[in-house]
Short mmCIF file of all heavy atoms in Angstrom, two decimals:
data_model
loop_
_atom_site.label_atom_id
_atom_site.label_comp_id
_atom_site.label_asym_id
_atom_site.label_seq_id
_atom_site.Cartn_x
_atom_site.Cartn_y
_atom_site.Cartn_z
N VAL I 1 7.41 -2.30 2.36
CA VAL I 1 7.18 -1.18 1.44
C VAL I 1 5.69 -1.03 1.20
O VAL I 1 4.94 -2.02 1.30
CB VAL I 1 7.93 -1.38 0.11
CG1 VAL I 1 9.43 -1.31 0.33
CG2 VAL I 1 7.57 -2.72 -0.54
N GLY I 2 5.28 0.18 0.89
CA GLY I 2 3.85 0.37 0.68
C GLY I 2 3.49 1.76 0.22
O GLY I 2 4.36 2.54 -0.19
N TRP I 3 2.20 2.03 0.30
CA TRP I 3 1.64 3.30 -0.15
C TRP I 3 0.72 3.88 0.91
O TRP I 3 -0.10 3.15 1.50
CB TRP I 3 0.84 3.08 -1.45
CG TRP I 3 1.69 2.67 -2.59
CD1 TRP I 3 2.02 1.40 -2.96
CD2 TRP I 3 2.36 3.54 -3.51
NE1 TRP I 3 2.85 1.42 -4.06
CE2 TRP I 3 3.06 2.73 -4.42
CE3 TRP I 3 2.43 4.92 -3.66
CZ2 TRP I 3 3.83 3.26 -5.46
CZ3 TRP I 3 3.18 5.44 -4.70
CH2 TRP I 3 3.87 4.62 -5.58
N TYR I 4 0.87 5.17 1.13
CA TYR I 4 -0.03 5.95 1.95
C TYR I 4 -0.67 7.02 1.06
O TYR I 4 -0.17 7.29 -0.03
CB TYR I 4 0.72 6.64 3.09
CG TYR I 4 1.10 5.73 4.23
CD1 TYR I 4 2.07 4.74 4.06
CD2 TYR I 4 0.51 5.86 5.48
CE1 TYR I 4 2.42 3.90 5.11
CE2 TYR I 4 0.86 5.04 6.54
CZ TYR I 4 1.81 4.06 6.35
OH TYR I 4 2.16 3.24 7.40
N ARG I 5 -1.73 7.61 1.56
CA ARG I 5 -2.34 8.72 0.82
C ARG I 5 -2.82 9.79 1.79
O ARG I 5 -3.12 9.50 2.95
CB ARG I 5 -3.48 8.24 -0.06
CG ARG I 5 -4.71 7.73 0.68
CD ARG I 5 -5.72 7.15 -0.31
NE ARG I 5 -6.92 6.65 0.36
CZ ARG I 5 -7.89 5.99 -0.25
NH1 ARG I 5 -7.82 5.73 -1.56
NH2 ARG I 5 -8.95 5.58 0.43
N GLN I 6 -2.89 10.99 1.26
CA GLN I 6 -3.36 12.11 2.07
C GLN I 6 -4.22 13.01 1.21
O GLN I 6 -3.75 13.58 0.21
CB GLN I 6 -2.20 12.89 2.67
CG GLN I 6 -2.62 13.96 3.66
CD GLN I 6 -1.46 14.51 4.45
OE1 GLN I 6 -0.30 14.39 4.08
NE2 GLN I 6 -1.77 15.11 5.59
N ALA I 7 -5.48 13.13 1.61
CA ALA I 7 -6.41 14.03 0.93
C ALA I 7 -6.38 15.39 1.63
O ALA I 7 -6.02 15.47 2.81
CB ALA I 7 -7.82 13.45 0.95
N PRO I 8 -6.77 16.45 0.95
CA PRO I 8 -6.76 17.78 1.57
C PRO I 8 -7.59 17.80 2.85
O PRO I 8 -8.72 17.32 2.89
CB PRO I 8 -7.39 18.66 0.49
CG PRO I 8 -7.10 17.97 -0.79
CD PRO I 8 -7.16 16.50 -0.47
N GLY I 9 -7.00 18.33 3.91
CA GLY I 9 -7.71 18.44 5.18
C GLY I 9 -7.81 17.16 5.98
O GLY I 9 -8.45 17.13 7.03
N LYS I 10 -7.17 16.10 5.50
CA LYS I 10 -7.23 14.82 6.20
C LYS I 10 -5.83 14.35 6.56
O LYS I 10 -4.83 14.80 6.00
CB LYS I 10 -7.93 13.77 5.33
CG LYS I 10 -9.39 14.07 5.06
CD LYS I 10 -10.08 12.90 4.40
CE LYS I 10 -11.56 13.16 4.23
NZ LYS I 10 -12.26 12.00 3.61
N GLU I 11 -5.77 13.39 7.48
CA GLU I 11 -4.49 12.82 7.88
C GLU I 11 -4.02 11.81 6.84
O GLU I 11 -4.82 11.21 6.13
CB GLU I 11 -4.63 12.15 9.25
CG GLU I 11 -4.89 13.12 10.38
CD GLU I 11 -4.84 12.45 11.75
OE1 GLU I 11 -4.70 11.22 11.79
OE2 GLU I 11 -4.94 13.16 12.76
N ARG I 12 -2.72 11.63 6.82
CA ARG I 12 -2.16 10.60 5.95
C ARG I 12 -2.59 9.23 6.46
O ARG I 12 -2.56 8.97 7.66
CB ARG I 12 -0.64 10.71 5.92
CG ARG I 12 0.02 9.89 4.85
CD ARG I 12 1.50 10.21 4.74
NE ARG I 12 1.74 11.58 4.30
CZ ARG I 12 2.92 12.05 3.94
NH1 ARG I 12 3.98 11.25 3.97
NH2 ARG I 12 3.07 13.30 3.57
N GLU I 13 -2.97 8.35 5.53
CA GLU I 13 -3.46 7.03 5.93
C GLU I 13 -2.81 5.95 5.08
O GLU I 13 -2.46 6.17 3.91
CB GLU I 13 -4.98 6.94 5.76
CG GLU I 13 -5.48 7.10 4.34
CD GLU I 13 -6.99 6.89 4.20
OE1 GLU I 13 -7.67 6.64 5.22
OE2 GLU I 13 -7.49 6.98 3.06
N LEU I 14 -2.69 4.78 5.69
CA LEU I 14 -2.15 3.63 4.97
C LEU I 14 -3.16 3.18 3.91
O LEU I 14 -4.34 3.00 4.20
CB LEU I 14 -1.87 2.48 5.93
CG LEU I 14 -1.44 1.17 5.29
CD1 LEU I 14 -0.05 1.28 4.68
CD2 LEU I 14 -1.49 0.03 6.30
N VAL I 15 -2.65 2.95 2.71
CA VAL I 15 -3.46 2.35 1.64
C VAL I 15 -3.19 0.85 1.59
O VAL I 15 -4.10 0.03 1.65
CB VAL I 15 -3.15 2.99 0.29
CG1 VAL I 15 -3.94 2.31 -0.83
CG2 VAL I 15 -3.44 4.48 0.31
N ALA I 16 -1.91 0.50 1.48
CA ALA I 16 -1.52 -0.91 1.43
C ALA I 16 -0.03 -1.01 1.68
O ALA I 16 0.72 -0.10 1.33
CB ALA I 16 -1.85 -1.54 0.07
N ASP I 17 0.39 -2.10 2.30
CA ASP I 17 1.82 -2.37 2.39
C ASP I 17 2.08 -3.86 2.26
O ASP I 17 1.17 -4.68 2.36
CB ASP I 17 2.46 -1.77 3.65
CG ASP I 17 1.95 -2.37 4.95
OD1 ASP I 17 1.31 -3.45 4.92
OD2 ASP I 17 2.18 -1.77 6.01
N ILE I 18 3.35 -4.18 2.00
CA ILE I 18 3.75 -5.56 1.79
C ILE I 18 5.11 -5.76 2.44
O ILE I 18 6.05 -4.99 2.21
CB ILE I 18 3.75 -5.91 0.28
CG1 ILE I 18 4.19 -7.35 0.04
CG2 ILE I 18 4.61 -4.94 -0.54
CD1 ILE I 18 3.92 -7.82 -1.40
N SER I 19 5.21 -6.78 3.27
CA SER I 19 6.44 -7.02 4.01
C SER I 19 7.47 -7.76 3.15
O SER I 19 7.17 -8.19 2.03
CB SER I 19 6.14 -7.84 5.26
OG SER I 19 5.89 -9.20 4.90
N HIS I 20 8.66 -7.95 3.71
CA HIS I 20 9.70 -8.68 2.99
C HIS I 20 9.27 -10.12 2.75
O HIS I 20 9.72 -10.75 1.80
CB HIS I 20 11.01 -8.65 3.79
CG HIS I 20 10.96 -9.46 5.04
ND1 HIS I 20 10.34 -9.01 6.19
CD2 HIS I 20 11.43 -10.69 5.32
CE1 HIS I 20 10.45 -9.93 7.13
NE2 HIS I 20 11.10 -10.97 6.62
N ALA I 21 8.35 -10.61 3.61
CA ALA I 21 7.85 -11.98 3.44
C ALA I 21 6.55 -12.01 2.64
O ALA I 21 5.86 -13.03 2.61
CB ALA I 21 7.62 -12.62 4.81
N SER I 22 6.21 -10.87 2.05
CA SER I 22 5.02 -10.73 1.20
C SER I 22 3.70 -10.81 1.96
O SER I 22 2.67 -11.15 1.37
CB SER I 22 5.04 -11.74 0.05
OG SER I 22 6.11 -11.47 -0.82
N ALA I 23 3.73 -10.51 3.25
CA ALA I 23 2.48 -10.33 3.99
C ALA I 23 1.91 -8.97 3.60
O ALA I 23 2.64 -7.97 3.58
CB ALA I 23 2.74 -10.38 5.49
N ILE I 24 0.62 -8.93 3.31
CA ILE I 24 0.00 -7.72 2.76
C ILE I 24 -1.11 -7.20 3.68
O ILE I 24 -1.88 -7.99 4.23
CB ILE I 24 -0.58 -8.02 1.36
CG1 ILE I 24 0.55 -8.32 0.37
CG2 ILE I 24 -1.44 -6.87 0.86
CD1 ILE I 24 0.08 -8.75 -1.00
N ASN I 25 -1.15 -5.88 3.81
CA ASN I 25 -2.25 -5.21 4.49
C ASN I 25 -2.89 -4.23 3.52
O ASN I 25 -2.19 -3.55 2.78
CB ASN I 25 -1.73 -4.40 5.70
CG ASN I 25 -1.20 -5.28 6.79
OD1 ASN I 25 -1.89 -6.17 7.27
ND2 ASN I 25 0.02 -5.06 7.20
N TYR I 26 -4.21 -4.16 3.57
CA TYR I 26 -4.96 -3.18 2.79
C TYR I 26 -5.87 -2.39 3.72
O TYR I 26 -6.44 -2.94 4.67
CB TYR I 26 -5.85 -3.84 1.74
CG TYR I 26 -5.13 -4.47 0.58
CD1 TYR I 26 -5.02 -5.85 0.47
CD2 TYR I 26 -4.56 -3.69 -0.42
CE1 TYR I 26 -4.38 -6.44 -0.62
CE2 TYR I 26 -3.91 -4.26 -1.51
CZ TYR I 26 -3.82 -5.65 -1.59
OH TYR I 26 -3.17 -6.21 -2.66
N ALA I 27 -6.06 -1.12 3.41
CA ALA I 27 -7.13 -0.36 4.06
C ALA I 27 -8.46 -0.96 3.63
O ALA I 27 -8.61 -1.40 2.48
CB ALA I 27 -7.05 1.11 3.64
N ASP I 28 -9.41 -0.95 4.54
CA ASP I 28 -10.73 -1.54 4.22
C ASP I 28 -11.35 -0.88 2.99
O ASP I 28 -12.02 -1.53 2.20
CB ASP I 28 -11.67 -1.39 5.41
CG ASP I 28 -11.34 -2.34 6.55
OD1 ASP I 28 -10.58 -3.31 6.31
OD2 ASP I 28 -11.81 -2.10 7.67
N SER I 29 -11.09 0.42 2.84
CA SER I 29 -11.74 1.17 1.76
C SER I 29 -11.23 0.78 0.37
O SER I 29 -11.88 1.12 -0.63
CB SER I 29 -11.51 2.67 1.97
OG SER I 29 -10.13 2.97 1.99
N VAL I 30 -10.11 0.07 0.30
CA VAL I 30 -9.56 -0.27 -1.02
C VAL I 30 -9.54 -1.78 -1.29
O VAL I 30 -9.20 -2.21 -2.39
CB VAL I 30 -8.14 0.30 -1.21
CG1 VAL I 30 -8.12 1.80 -0.91
CG2 VAL I 30 -7.11 -0.44 -0.37
N LYS I 31 -9.92 -2.57 -0.29
CA LYS I 31 -9.91 -4.03 -0.48
C LYS I 31 -10.80 -4.42 -1.65
O LYS I 31 -11.92 -3.93 -1.79
CB LYS I 31 -10.40 -4.72 0.80
CG LYS I 31 -9.37 -4.76 1.91
CD LYS I 31 -9.91 -5.46 3.15
CE LYS I 31 -8.87 -5.45 4.26
NZ LYS I 31 -9.40 -6.03 5.52
N GLY I 32 -10.27 -5.30 -2.47
CA GLY I 32 -11.02 -5.76 -3.64
C GLY I 32 -10.87 -4.87 -4.85
O GLY I 32 -11.29 -5.24 -5.95
N ARG I 33 -10.29 -3.69 -4.68
CA ARG I 33 -10.11 -2.75 -5.80
C ARG I 33 -8.63 -2.49 -6.10
O ARG I 33 -8.27 -2.30 -7.26
CB ARG I 33 -10.80 -1.42 -5.49
CG ARG I 33 -12.29 -1.54 -5.23
CD ARG I 33 -12.95 -0.16 -5.13
NE ARG I 33 -12.43 0.64 -4.01
CZ ARG I 33 -11.85 1.83 -4.15
NH1 ARG I 33 -11.72 2.38 -5.35
NH2 ARG I 33 -11.43 2.49 -3.08
N PHE I 34 -7.81 -2.47 -5.07
CA PHE I 34 -6.38 -2.17 -5.23
C PHE I 34 -5.57 -3.44 -4.99
O PHE I 34 -5.93 -4.27 -4.16
CB PHE I 34 -5.93 -1.12 -4.22
CG PHE I 34 -6.47 0.27 -4.44
CD1 PHE I 34 -7.49 0.53 -5.35
CD2 PHE I 34 -5.95 1.35 -3.74
CE1 PHE I 34 -7.98 1.80 -5.55
CE2 PHE I 34 -6.42 2.63 -3.92
CZ PHE I 34 -7.44 2.86 -4.82
N THR I 35 -4.44 -3.54 -5.70
CA THR I 35 -3.52 -4.66 -5.52
C THR I 35 -2.11 -4.13 -5.42
O THR I 35 -1.64 -3.41 -6.31
CB THR I 35 -3.62 -5.65 -6.69
OG1 THR I 35 -4.96 -6.12 -6.81
CG2 THR I 35 -2.69 -6.83 -6.46
N ILE I 36 -1.43 -4.49 -4.33
CA ILE I 36 -0.03 -4.09 -4.16
C ILE I 36 0.86 -5.27 -4.53
O ILE I 36 0.51 -6.43 -4.29
CB ILE I 36 0.24 -3.62 -2.71
CG1 ILE I 36 1.62 -2.96 -2.61
CG2 ILE I 36 0.09 -4.77 -1.71
CD1 ILE I 36 1.85 -2.25 -1.28
N SER I 37 2.02 -4.96 -5.10
CA SER I 37 2.98 -6.00 -5.44
C SER I 37 4.39 -5.43 -5.33
O SER I 37 4.57 -4.21 -5.36
CB SER I 37 2.74 -6.53 -6.86
OG SER I 37 2.87 -5.50 -7.82
N ARG I 38 5.36 -6.33 -5.20
CA ARG I 38 6.75 -5.89 -5.13
C ARG I 38 7.60 -6.75 -6.05
O ARG I 38 7.31 -7.93 -6.25
CB ARG I 38 7.29 -5.95 -3.70
CG ARG I 38 7.38 -7.33 -3.10
CD ARG I 38 7.77 -7.25 -1.60
NE ARG I 38 9.10 -6.71 -1.43
CZ ARG I 38 9.54 -6.20 -0.27
NH1 ARG I 38 8.74 -6.18 0.79
NH2 ARG I 38 10.77 -5.72 -0.17
N ASN I 39 8.63 -6.14 -6.59
CA ASN I 39 9.59 -6.83 -7.44
C ASN I 39 10.96 -6.56 -6.84
O ASN I 39 11.53 -5.48 -7.02
CB ASN I 39 9.49 -6.31 -8.87
CG ASN I 39 10.42 -7.05 -9.82
OD1 ASN I 39 11.52 -7.45 -9.46
ND2 ASN I 39 9.96 -7.23 -11.05
N ASN I 40 11.49 -7.53 -6.13
CA ASN I 40 12.76 -7.32 -5.44
C ASN I 40 13.94 -7.19 -6.41
O ASN I 40 14.93 -6.55 -6.09
CB ASN I 40 13.02 -8.47 -4.46
CG ASN I 40 12.10 -8.41 -3.25
OD1 ASN I 40 11.51 -7.36 -2.96
ND2 ASN I 40 11.96 -9.52 -2.55
N ALA I 41 13.83 -7.78 -7.58
CA ALA I 41 14.91 -7.68 -8.56
C ALA I 41 15.03 -6.25 -9.10
O ALA I 41 16.12 -5.82 -9.49
CB ALA I 41 14.67 -8.65 -9.70
N GLU I 42 13.89 -5.53 -9.12
CA GLU I 42 13.89 -4.16 -9.64
C GLU I 42 13.79 -3.11 -8.53
O GLU I 42 13.72 -1.92 -8.83
CB GLU I 42 12.72 -3.98 -10.61
CG GLU I 42 12.81 -4.84 -11.86
CD GLU I 42 11.66 -4.60 -12.82
OE1 GLU I 42 10.74 -3.81 -12.49
OE2 GLU I 42 11.66 -5.22 -13.89
N ASN I 43 13.76 -3.56 -7.27
CA ASN I 43 13.56 -2.62 -6.14
C ASN I 43 12.32 -1.77 -6.34
O ASN I 43 12.33 -0.56 -6.11
CB ASN I 43 14.79 -1.72 -5.96
CG ASN I 43 15.96 -2.44 -5.32
OD1 ASN I 43 15.92 -3.67 -5.16
ND2 ASN I 43 17.00 -1.72 -4.99
N ARG I 44 11.24 -2.42 -6.74
CA ARG I 44 10.03 -1.70 -7.15
C ARG I 44 8.82 -2.19 -6.36
O ARG I 44 8.63 -3.39 -6.16
CB ARG I 44 9.78 -1.90 -8.64
CG ARG I 44 8.56 -1.16 -9.19
CD ARG I 44 8.29 -1.59 -10.63
NE ARG I 44 9.43 -1.33 -11.50
CZ ARG I 44 9.65 -0.19 -12.11
NH1 ARG I 44 8.78 0.81 -11.97
NH2 ARG I 44 10.72 -0.02 -12.88
#
């Protein structure tokens, strides 16, 4: 699960995602500023 973003006139891009095993990827532009998390009990 994760988040993408799309600015006007630009392509949709990955912001961050997290696998079922909690492996995380961040776009370089958001590293150190954004934090992704998941709560499997809440499907969130």
Side-chain angles (χ1 to χ4, degrees):
V1 293
W3 294 90
Y4 284 69
R5 68 186 180 186
Q6 187 168 20
K10 295 190 176 181
E11 293 187 354
R12 192 171 295 190
E13 62 175 1
L14 174 69
V15 177
D17 65 15
I18 180 168
S19 75
H20 70 282
S22 295
I24 293 175
N25 293 305
Y26 289 106
D28 286 344
S29 59
V30 307
K31 284 180 181 176
R33 301 188 298 121
F34 291 11
T35 302
I36 191 170
S37 60
R38 65 187 295 161
N39 183 324
N40 289 341
E42 296 182 357
N43 285 9
R44 182 188 301 273

